[in-house]
Amino acid sequence: MSDYWKEMNAQPATGAATTTEFLVPTNQKLGRQIKTAAGWLWVMAGLSAINLLLLHLDAPIRMMVDVFAVDLLFAVGRELGPVFLIAALVAGAVLIGFFTFLGFQTKAGRVWAFVTAIVLISLAAVLIYFTTDLGGIGPFLVHGFAIYLVVVGLKAAKLHNHRKSLGKP
């Protein structure tokens, strides 16, 4: 047998990616994609908490990546008075907690959590567009990238769940 055929039929080194891994991802790769989606939801929740604190302290800066409804609730609560401001802070904290909960549910592979996250991130982008003068395409790019990663995580979770239902490792 020639050296060419030996090389073609040789087993790849341990840990080396094969061409079939790109076509049919391993469970490890699916897990990374699912965890990445969950991580983005946790980042959005954490930066929303920082934004809520910055808004409460009247700081002139804010984060671009957050759950924008928290900012909107705070602005409306501030305009309506102190009682509504406290209600807005509580509602914002609940929304941040919900995003954190969605992160844990996406990490567990729950399809409904991915879909809910996609809808909420899309609504955040629409709210930014219609309620602020944040110029440019920056907020849409950031939210679009987050949606992309959550969609990739959704596809990975569906494939992983399907493999589990078939009893395949």
Side-chain angles (χ1 to χ4, degrees), residues 17-167:
T18 63
T19 55
T20 57
E21 181 180 347
F22 294 110
L23 299 175
V24 181
T26 62
N27 284 342
Q28 184 179 13
K29 184 175 182 179
L30 295 175
R32 281 193 311 265
Q33 291 172 337
I34 292 168
K35 287 179 184 176
T36 300
W40 265 87
L41 293 175
W42 292 327
V43 164
M44 291 181 81
L47 292 178
S48 295
I50 292 171
N51 271 348
L52 193 61
L53 179 66
L54 291 173
L55 285 169
H56 186 64
L57 297 175
D58 288 329
I61 60 172
R62 61 181 288 270
M63 308 291 172
M64 186 186 295
V65 179
D66 73 338
V67 182
F68 187 71
V70 172
D71 300 354
L72 189 63
L73 283 171
F74 187 83
V76 170
R78 180 181 278 170
E79 291 295 320
L80 294 177
V83 173
F84 290 102
L85 179 61
I86 292 171
L89 285 170
V90 170
V94 167
L95 193 57
I96 290 168
F98 182 67
F99 256 77
T100 304
F101 172 74
L102 276 180
F104 284 111
Q105 294 304 309
T106 56
K107 187 177 177 193
R110 307 280 194 298
V111 173
W112 66 266
F114 286 97
V115 173
T116 305
I118 291 167
V119 169
L120 290 177
I121 295 170
S122 301
L123 285 174
V126 169
L127 282 173
I128 288 173
Y129 180 75
F130 285 114
T131 60
T132 69
D133 57 353
L134 290 174
I137 197 165
F140 285 106
L141 290 177
V142 172
H143 284 79
F145 184 66
I147 291 170
Y148 167 75
L149 290 175
V150 174
V151 167
V152 168
L154 171 63
K155 291 170 92 174
K158 288 173 84 174
L159 181 58
H160 185 68
N161 291 342
H162 179 67
R163 284 182 183 174
K164 283 188 347 189
S165 72
L166 295 176

